[in-house]
Amino acid sequence: MRVIRNGNKITLVEGESSPDQDNLNIVIEAINRIERFLGLKETKFEEDK
Amino acid sequence: MIVIAKNNKVVEAFYKDQVNMKVLIARYPAYSILESNTIFPPELMSQLARIYDGQVVKKPSVLVFLDKKRVVADGIDEVEIRVEIVDCQPGETINEIELKIDEVVVPLELEDNKGSILFSTKIKGLHIISIDSSDVLFMEECVLAI
């Protein structure tokens, strides 16, 4: 069982968590935070609207 | 109440009238010994209390809200998980908390002690949502994926 993260949405899927996927999730989350910090994203749900 | 603490965590607690301070100081030389106005049963003190700014206080509670309890396990249908931390100390903010969904840990960024995330799954069954921390109090929630 592992999590795929896309912005503010997480999806639980079958399979082992891999270091590459974990690192990718960390990078995606870091980019999201920077974008929110810079005001490029007004809300956490913008991409889902 | 007398509390024995180390690294801002409560290790042990005693009712004040049931301990001899000299004995405690000798028994716990490397620990902080604090007097507490926050009173829980001694055996529950380490679970329910913490040290903040040199004082013994209740741990914050994490409230977890779900907008629905059942979801289609297609990876598209989603549940909004909202998290709010209450019982923080004045001026205290918690910027991140780790949600635990089954055995997977998901960091969640908070703003004003609140945060939310959308959850979907491709795995049918009951998913338990908890908090991966002993520093807060919480009750588990669950989502049924069908």
Side-chain angles (χ1 to χ4, degrees):
Chain A
M1 187 179 292
R2 64 187 175 89
V3 157
I4 297 172
R5 187 159 191 159
N6 181 9
N8 201 45
K9 180 173 177 177
I10 53 170
T11 304
L12 210 55
V13 295
E14 294 281 6
E16 289 294 312
S17 179
S18 73
D20 286 347
Q21 184 64 53
D22 291 345
N23 289 336
L24 185 61
N25 287 340
I26 290 168
V27 170
I28 290 169
E29 181 57 15
I31 291 170
N32 286 332
R33 286 181 188 197
I34 292 167
E35 285 180 338
R36 280 197 292 274
F37 179 75
L38 295 175
L40 300 175
K41 273 189 183 177
E42 286 189 7
T43 70
K44 295 177 183 181
F45 299 105
E46 188 176 322
E47 64 204 308
D48 300 311
K49 283 180 183 171
Chain B
M1 186 155 236
I2 301 295
V3 167
I4 313 296
K6 193 168 195 180
N7 300 328
N8 286 334
K9 290 186 188 296
V10 174
V11 176
E12 240 181 308
F14 306 92
Y15 289 116
K16 195 175 177 182
D17 56 357
Q18 293 177 353
V19 291
N20 179 321
M21 286 303 285
K22 284 182 182 172
V23 173
L24 275 190
I25 291 166
R27 191 170 155 194
Y28 296 98
Y31 293 74
S32 303
I33 300 176
L34 304 166
E35 194 166 340
S36 167
N37 294 323
T38 303
I39 297 174
F40 294 114
E43 66 274 16
L44 296 178
M45 203 70 179
S46 63
Q47 290 175 44
L48 303 178
R50 63 178 172 142
I51 311 300
Y52 181 83
D53 207 13
Q55 303 286 317
V56 183
V57 297
K58 182 179 173 290
K59 288 182 180 179
S61 298
V62 180
L63 308 178
V64 179
F65 305 99
L66 309 175
D67 67 342
K68 56 186 178 184
K69 304 274 270 184
R70 216 161 68 156
V71 68
V72 179
D74 59 0
I76 298 168
D77 193 16
E78 56 199 24
V79 178
E80 184 187 14
I81 302 173
R82 284 191 301 117
V83 169
E84 182 174 354
I85 302 183
V86 296
D87 293 337
C88 286
Q89 294 304 298
E92 181 183 20
T93 53
I94 297 174
N95 297 320
E96 186 176 282
I97 199 154
E98 290 189 328
L99 279 181
K100 196 171 178 187
I101 301 175
D102 297 336
E103 73 263 30
V104 183
V105 174
V106 179
L108 175 61
E109 189 184 1
L110 304 178
E111 204 173 312
D112 295 330
N113 292 335
K114 294 177 186 172
S116 66
I117 199 162
L118 298 171
F119 167 71
S120 65
T121 181
K122 291 186 175 178
I123 302 171
K124 290 182 180 179
L126 196 64
H127 299 292
I128 307 295
I129 299 164
S130 60
I131 306 296
D132 195 30
S133 171
S134 61
D135 296 331
V136 294
L137 308 175
F138 62 91
M139 281 183 66
E140 289 180 348
E141 273 289 354
C142 60
V143 173
L144 179 63
I146 53 174

